Amino acid sequence: MWIRKGLTVAAAAALAFGAVSCGSSPGGRDDGKVLIGISIPLTGDFAEPGKSVEEGYRLWAETINGKGGLLGKQVELKILDDKSQAEAVVSDYEALIAQDQVDLIFGPYSSRLVIPAARVAEEYGMLFVEPAGNAAEVFEQGFQNLFYGGPSVADTSFDHLVDHVLAMPEEQRPKTAAIVAMDDPFPKATAHGVRDQLRDGGVEIVVDELYPPNQTDFSGLAAKVAASNADIVIGGAAYQDAVNLIIGLQQLNYDPEIAGFTTAPTHPEFAKALGAGTAGILAPTSYSPDARHETNAEFVAAYEEKFGGRPNEDHAAAFATGQVVAAAVEAVGCAEQGECQQQLVDWLRNAEVPTVVGPLSWDDAGRPKSASMVLQWQDGVSRIVLPADAAEAEFIYPKPGW
Amino acid sequence: MPSASETDVMHRLARYAHVLRMGGVSALIVIGLSVPSALGNPYLLSAAVVILNYALCATGWNFMGGFTGYISFGHAAYFGLGAYGTALLINRLDLAPFLAVALAVLIVSVIAVPVGFAALRLRGASFVIGTIAFVLIILLVFQSWNSFTGGSSGMEVPRPFPELTRPEHHLRFYYLYLGLLAFALLLWWLIDRSQFGLRLKGIREDEDKARALGVPTMEYKVVAFVLSAAFTAAAGGLYALWFGDLDPVFQFSILLGAYMVLMALVGGIRSLFGPLLGAVIVGYALEYFKLNYGDTQIHLAATGLLLVLVVLFMPDGIIPGARELANRHLRSGQTSIREQTQEELLAAQRSSGPEPPSQPAFSATVNGGRP
Amino acid sequence: MDSTVVFQTVILGVLLGGQYALLASGLTLYFGVMRVVMLAHASFLVLAAYLAWWFTTSTGLDPMLSMAITVPLFFGLGVVMQRILLSRLRPATLTMMSCLLTLAIALVVEGVLGFLFTGVQRRVQVGYGSAQLNFFGASIPVVKLVSFGLAVFGLAALYFILMKSSFGRSLRATIQHKQAAQLVGINTDRVAGHGFGLGLATAAVGGTALALDATIFPSLHWYWIGPLMAIIVVGGLGSVPGAAIAAMILGIATSVLQIPMGATWAQTVFYLALFATLLFRPQGFFGGRLAQRF
């Protein structure tokens, strides 16, 4: 009896692994193209921005192929869906690097997913440029190969807003603030960055709450914020949670003087979801389609042609990531796994790369060296309002009614 | 009346049974050790580690499900507790990695005692519901208790062997898991042949009768429960060290608990290697679906369909099914029990090794009275 | 905490409780009729919500009108599921197998939804989406009132069917004692099928109510499995009024506790209530004499 059992198990195991090992081939590829491996959240909590990142990457690939490719070879993207899950992002990159033998990798979306993915990249010695993970933790893990494809880090994203608020004359200045944040590195870092600075500046924090990423019912949280009657509400959010919270606040007739949310207001769908309710909402942004950076006008035009409408922050960050890697590859002259990756890392460490989000350069941990701007929704359009030298419109204060 | 040649085969089998048994197990060990070299790349090796993790969890689950018949759907709770326990001990108290795992297993075992005493008062569906509720409430606690557990952002676990390359890291954990699995299988086998095991099976067949016969049913059930929680927690601890990134939603998931049940079921709940076989099959199927259909959510539907098929058409699992087939083939001459003498029947049963006290069909009537 | 806030949260809690009651009502039927642990009910709620959303975005009409299609559709689905899948399970291993089977069905539904509609979170937009009524100082969102109204309607309809129709009587008889029902000539197999269908039909109504004010995405059902299970255990299995009362109490409790404790901690109330019930009064608190125990 044990015989049969033992043999059955042995047979099954052998068959399974035999079938599995048949399909793989060690060693490199030589198919004359540059294969780039990417894992992004196309489903799950980060699906909305994940889609934007995918579009940005694809647009970059098309653009560069149109100009002859990388090092003369056509670029091909292999994109996997990590369902916004850390486990999946790890096995995706592991498969891309170890099984598919990709030449280069681009990073995923959100600080939450970037950290485990960066670890895989690091342990395989791959260059890791990523479009959307800039919470403090990302840079504190000791990664040697990580570069963020955007101009600023999370905690300081809303700095211009905070400075503006604290610079207001005493009688005009808001006195209380409600801070809510999704329990996820980036929104949390941004919201808490604002909270700490406001508190140091003398503003009273009356609400300070965190909520899990999969929360969809915001009636309790909205009730709490509305009851506090805070002058400022700051939401560290992704997308749908911000929409739900704002609807919840509108339903309770709560009207703050300043309302700032991360990420969500930078998406064009935001206007569709809230209609006139977007009036006066602020958001930090690393990108403006009207900014006069090198390559930006071309990018905006190409985006309009392919997708219609204007690109947002996530599209730009993805495109910029592609630009950064391309610059390194062209400068160093190689695009493959192994030694080449360390050469790319070393070159980038000291470089300044012109991208659609501006010229990018980094410190030893991969932190970028510039700052974010602040946009505000006015009459159904989002406009840059801070800092003053990049502003397209006046900062409206207090916020017009929802 | 079985023909002369068939009796001959049976007697020969009986003589070589011991040798064949050893042979089967050795073959298994050899295959287990040589898998890493057979696999083509580190990604596949990491998939193999995942499968061994499942196998350990399923075997651990089977200490409870197989012996006592209490089906826990929330066993992921112990997996998660073992994983987070290890992570917390390393991150907060700076303990050495494997000491942390051992301590975490101990802590989970201690927690499992009162939980067991409370939960095992419930029978049948109440027990199942209770286990599901248990894992869900732990999930909520770990999601909310931000300062302690890191909340929904999860928790990082530093590498125990930072000097290893990633493929070497996978390899080392492959062997660690293999070793722990072997230990679990050995313990399961020992219990299976022991008095303790016999009494547990008695509880499975008819708990009230067992109690009437003087078996301290509650204490025995709790022991099986704690053992099962301990092994699952150990799997969790190793996972924390290997994977390095914990997220409450995935560590405390009903789906993981259901996979454990499914794997034990597919392989055969009452057999030693059943959960391992189930883990290999189901784990492979899951990886396959994720890789090939992973760009949409249709892989979930594929997994669901697989589950449906198993439940409807293979409710006893593969190993008992295979055994059934083999039995029918080897004893094809038998039509009625009266055509065999008592001695022949006894001899035939002895030659096929120790069997569990009863077959599933039998237990249907015995269990019919249970709520 | 000032009194307006408390008052407001209590009102919101009542509305939430009503919604929970509707969502849970069908669930109690599955167990009563077939002793099946139905983990797929929540996924059918999400399916109905998606159908309502799709209906609204395609036709521009109010999502509630989609019930004209979804209710009979789900009824039929329920009957089919029971006859083809669930009746095949063997009594000896019913609990384990029904858990696995219904979980599998839930996964299939989630997978198909994800495939058809992608994982992007959706929200139905109705004209009255942000409107609110003022009720003694409390701001009551109109959508929640509508949702509550739907819940009352659904529960009333269910109650009426169970109490006044002959089908309802047969169903209750089957729930109370299957063999006795057979002895008086009730075709329990057919009744079981129809009972299942009825349960799933309530999911159609419940899902539509959900769609009015919630964000939906394919994996939303995981969020509901626990609370719904807790409601019917606390309420008493096989008892629709029991489920309604339990839902109301737990709804108010979670709503009120959300303010001091945060939404996630507040949810633990469901499980604590469930544990308490299983340990101290397994047949539930509000089910009356004939409520079942698991």
Side-chain angles (χ1 to χ4, degrees), chain C residues 4-222:
Chain C
T4 345
V5 177
V6 178
F7 181 59
Q8 179 145 304
T9 32
V10 170
I11 301 279
L12 285 178
V14 169
L15 297 181
L16 194 64
Q19 195 180 51
Y20 281 162
L22 177 63
L23 299 179
S25 58
L27 204 54
T28 204
L29 288 178
Y30 305 124
F31 188 80
V33 164
M34 274 205 77
R35 291 293 192 276
V36 159
V37 182
M38 174 65 164
L39 297 174
H41 189 74
S43 68
F44 279 99
L45 289 174
V46 176
L47 177 63
Y50 260 102
L51 290 175
W53 169 83
W54 186 56
F55 177 81
T56 304
T57 41
S58 323
T59 64
L61 299 168
D62 192 284
M64 289 192 282
L65 294 171
S66 68
M67 286 195 295
I69 310 170
T70 50
V71 171
L73 176 68
F74 276 41
F75 180 81
L77 260 175
V79 175
V80 164
M81 266 200 321
Q82 198 275 338
R83 305 305 268 138
I84 296 190
L85 297 175
L86 289 153
S87 53
R88 279 184 200 248
L89 299 178
R90 292 193 262 152
T93 53
L94 188 61
T95 309
M96 171 175 71
M97 292 307 191
S98 65
C99 279
L100 284 177
L101 185 59
T102 54
L103 194 63
I105 295 175
L107 284 179
V108 172
V109 171
E110 184 183 338
V112 169
L113 283 177
F115 181 65
L116 292 177
F117 298 111
T118 79
V120 172
Q121 297 180 344
R122 311 280 179 189
R123 198 176 165 130
V124 163
Q125 291 186 358
V126 284
Y128 45 92
S130 321
Q132 80 272 138
L133 287 179
N134 207 300
F135 183 67
F136 295 114
S139 252
I140 315 293
V142 169
V143 270
K144 291 208 198 287
L145 276 175
V146 173
S147 193
F148 183 74
L150 201 55
V152 170
F153 164 72
L155 282 168
L158 187 64
Y159 193 71
F160 187 78
I161 294 176
L162 283 177
M163 291 295 152
K164 305 289 181 195
S165 73
S166 64
F167 162 60
R169 271 198 295 275
S170 313
L171 190 57
R172 277 185 294 135
T174 311
I175 291 177
Q176 282 175 17
H177 201 299
K178 192 163 175 182
Q179 280 84 5
Q182 284 170 338
L183 283 175
V184 298
I186 295 176
N187 181 343
T188 52
D189 287 337
R190 192 152 47 113
V191 167
H194 291 162
F196 219 81
L198 187 62
L200 217 60
T202 67
V205 181
T208 312
L210 198 63
L212 290 176
D213 192 38
T215 309
I216 53 177
F217 46 97
S219 46
L220 179 59
H221 67 109
W222 292 107

Side-chain angles (χ1 to χ4, degrees), chain A residues 154-156 159 162 188-198:
Chain A
D155 339 32
T156 56
D159 270 8
V162 177
K188 200 165 44 166
T190 312
H192 290 181
V194 173
R195 174 195 65 188
D196 296 337
Q197 290 186 59
L198 283 179

Side-chain angles (χ1 to χ4, degrees), chain A residues 12-373:
Chain A
L15 272 174
F17 287 122
V20 151
S21 50
C22 271
S24 61
S25 49
R29 308 169 0 258
D30 60 348
D31 45 15
K33 59 181 183 222
V34 175
L35 186 61
I36 305 186
I38 310 172
S39 167
I40 23 186
L42 300 173
T43 57
D45 295 328
F46 302 124
E48 195 65 45
K51 197 167 48 136
S52 303
V53 168
E54 185 193 6
E55 287 175 356
Y57 280 146
R58 289 206 190 279
L59 188 60
W60 173 83
E62 250 181 44
T63 310
I64 207 160
N65 278 343
K67 297 194 185 142
L70 265 184
L71 299 179
K73 294 189 260 190
Q74 289 288 291
V75 163
E76 186 183 304
L77 301 181
K78 179 154 184 182
I79 298 187
L80 296 178
D81 175 18
D82 57 38
K83 302 168 259 305
S84 314
Q85 298 172 10
E87 281 192 351
V89 88
V90 166
S91 66
D92 280 353
Y93 279 107
E94 188 121 37
L96 288 167
I97 297 173
Q99 182 158 273
D100 296 318
Q101 297 285 312
V102 296
D103 299 306
L104 298 165
I105 52 175
F106 289 167
Y109 180 84
S110 111
S111 302
R112 177 78 188 89
L113 297 175
V114 158
I115 295 178
R119 195 192 279 205
V120 179
E122 189 92 359
E123 292 176 353
Y124 277 115
M126 302 284 287
L127 168 68
F128 193 71
V129 183
E130 44 96 359
N134 64 349
E137 293 133 74
V138 173
F139 306 109
E140 286 161 9
Q141 302 289 323
F143 294 131
Q144 305 286 323
N145 299 356
L146 181 142
F147 296 87
Y148 174 57
S152 65
V153 293
D155 339 32
T156 56
S157 325
F158 245 147
D159 270 8
H160 285 298
L161 175 65
V162 177
D163 293 340
H164 189 90
V165 166
L166 294 177
M168 287 178 185
E170 183 86 43
E171 335 77 66
Q172 272 191 0
R173 206 187 306 158
K175 307 283 182 295
T176 54
I179 312 281
V180 292
M182 181 194 267
D183 188 3
D184 177 87
F186 171 73
K188 200 165 44 166
T190 312
H192 290 181
V194 173
R195 174 195 65 188
D196 296 337
Q197 290 186 59
L198 283 179
R199 181 186 289 149
D200 290 341
V203 176
E204 189 191 345
I205 311 294
V206 289
V207 174
D208 186 3
E209 297 286 326
L210 277 179
Y211 56 88
N214 51 9
Q215 178 161 314
T216 54
D217 178 23
F218 285 87
S219 42
L221 206 51
K224 196 161 185 180
V225 173
S228 74
N229 237 330
D231 299 321
I232 305 180
V233 65
I234 300 286
Y239 179 69
Q240 194 63 47
D241 49 326
V243 171
N244 291 343
L245 181 58
I246 294 172
I247 292 182
L249 293 173
Q250 292 171 346
Q251 284 176 344
L252 295 172
N253 238 337
Y254 161 73
D255 234 327
E257 291 170 11
I258 290 186
F261 291 84
T262 59
T263 314
T266 64
H267 285 251
E269 298 85 57
F270 191 65
K272 261 185 264 164
L274 291 177
T278 58
I281 296 183
L282 298 154
T285 180
S286 53
Y287 176 70
S288 164
D290 300 313
R292 279 183 292 273
H293 300 303
E294 204 178 311
T295 69
N296 193 18
E298 198 181 70
F299 165 62
V300 175
Y303 181 87
E304 199 150 7
E305 199 188 308
K306 188 169 163 87
F307 298 109
R310 309 230 292 170
N312 68 19
E313 195 173 35
D314 297 316
H315 296 116
F319 197 87
T321 299
Q323 289 180 306
V324 168
V325 174
V329 165
E330 294 288 349
V332 171
C334 70
E336 59 194 10
Q337 293 193 20
E339 278 269 319
C340 170
Q341 299 288 322
Q342 188 57 46
Q343 293 173 348
L344 295 171
V345 170
D346 293 334
W347 185 85
L348 276 179
R349 194 60 71 195
N350 302 312
E352 188 179 85
V353 180
T355 70
V356 296
V357 296
L360 293 178
S361 59
W362 304 269
D363 67 4
D364 286 331
R367 281 189 200 92
K369 297 183 182 164
S370 329
S372 270
M373 303 174 283

Side-chain angles (χ1 to χ4, degrees), chain B residues 215-345:
Chain B
V215 176
T217 53
M218 192 48 140
E219 285 76 14
Y220 274 40
K221 284 190 295 185
V222 171
V223 171
F225 187 76
V226 170
L227 275 176
S228 134
F231 276 111
T232 314
L238 275 187
Y239 181 82
L241 292 180
W242 173 67
F243 192 73
D245 190 315
L246 301 178
D247 186 322
V249 173
F250 298 105
Q251 270 35 80
F252 297 110
S253 97
I254 301 181
L255 203 53
L256 176 59
Y259 286 156
M260 287 189 226
V261 179
L262 177 66
M263 289 169 188
L265 193 70
V266 164
I269 284 189
R270 293 167 189 187
S271 60
L272 174 64
F273 293 112
L276 169 57
L277 180 60
V280 168
I281 295 177
V282 177
Y284 179 67
L286 288 175
E287 280 303 306
Y288 182 82
F289 289 147
K290 267 190 234 179
L291 219 50
N292 291 17
Y293 305 123
D295 47 351
T296 66
Q297 281 180 323
I298 209 73
H299 71 276
L300 275 177
T303 309
L305 280 171
L306 173 67
L307 246 171
V308 171
L309 290 174
V310 168
V311 167
L312 292 181
F313 301 115
M314 241 201 309
D316 286 322
I318 292 184
I319 288 186
R323 199 190 313 158
E324 209 63 31
L325 230 76
N327 277 348
R328 238 186 297 146
H329 182 74
L330 284 177
R331 300 183 194 182
S332 52
Q334 276 180 264
T335 49
S336 157
I337 204 168
R338 278 195 224 108
E339 294 183 57
Q340 257 193 333
T341 66
Q342 188 88 328
E343 292 84 46
E344 278 163 339
L345 190 60

Side-chain angles (χ1 to χ4, degrees), chain B residues 31-214:
Chain B
I31 290 183
L33 290 173
S34 57
V35 157
S37 17
L39 295 178
N41 61 58
Y43 164 70
L44 291 175
L45 188 54
S46 74
V49 175
V50 170
I51 289 181
L52 282 185
N53 181 47
Y54 282 147
L56 183 57
C57 287
T59 305
W61 179 90
N62 209 19
F63 275 85
M64 194 65 204
F67 288 135
T68 65
Y70 277 73
I71 307 295
S72 162
F73 263 83
H75 239 57
Y78 307 108
F79 181 79
L81 285 173
Y84 265 96
T86 307
L88 286 166
L89 288 171
I90 295 180
N91 286 333
R92 303 293 165 116
L93 298 179
D94 274 328
L95 285 184
F98 292 97
L99 181 59
V101 175
L103 198 54
V105 171
L106 197 61
I107 294 176
V108 172
S109 307
V110 167
I111 294 177
V113 174
V115 170
F117 272 108
L120 291 163
R121 289 172 45 178
L122 307 169
R123 302 264 193 108
S126 306
F127 179 74
V128 173
I129 300 234
T131 61
I132 293 181
F134 183 63
V135 71
L136 288 176
I137 198 176
I138 299 227
L139 169 61
L140 284 180
V141 169
F142 273 73
Q143 273 187 311
S144 333
W145 203 353
N146 222 283
S147 48
F148 185 53
T149 65
S152 295
S153 307
M155 191 171 262
E156 304 283 318
V157 183
R159 293 283 193 235
F161 309 115
E163 70 285 0
L164 292 183
T165 66
R166 196 171 173 94
E168 286 168 357
H169 174 82
H170 291 328
L171 190 65
R172 186 163 299 188
F173 273 89
Y174 177 86
Y175 287 122
L176 283 170
Y177 266 110
L178 200 62
L180 197 50
L181 180 63
F183 175 55
L185 288 170
L186 183 64
L187 195 60
W188 199 97
W189 183 69
L190 287 174
I191 292 183
D192 194 39
R193 334 174 55 154
S194 70
Q195 272 287 14
F196 176 58
L198 196 61
R199 296 209 179 121
L200 284 177
K201 293 177 207 168
I203 294 177
R204 178 182 70 201
E205 297 313 319
D206 191 329
E207 186 164 345
D208 298 311
K209 238 175 238 169
R211 195 184 308 165
L213 288 171

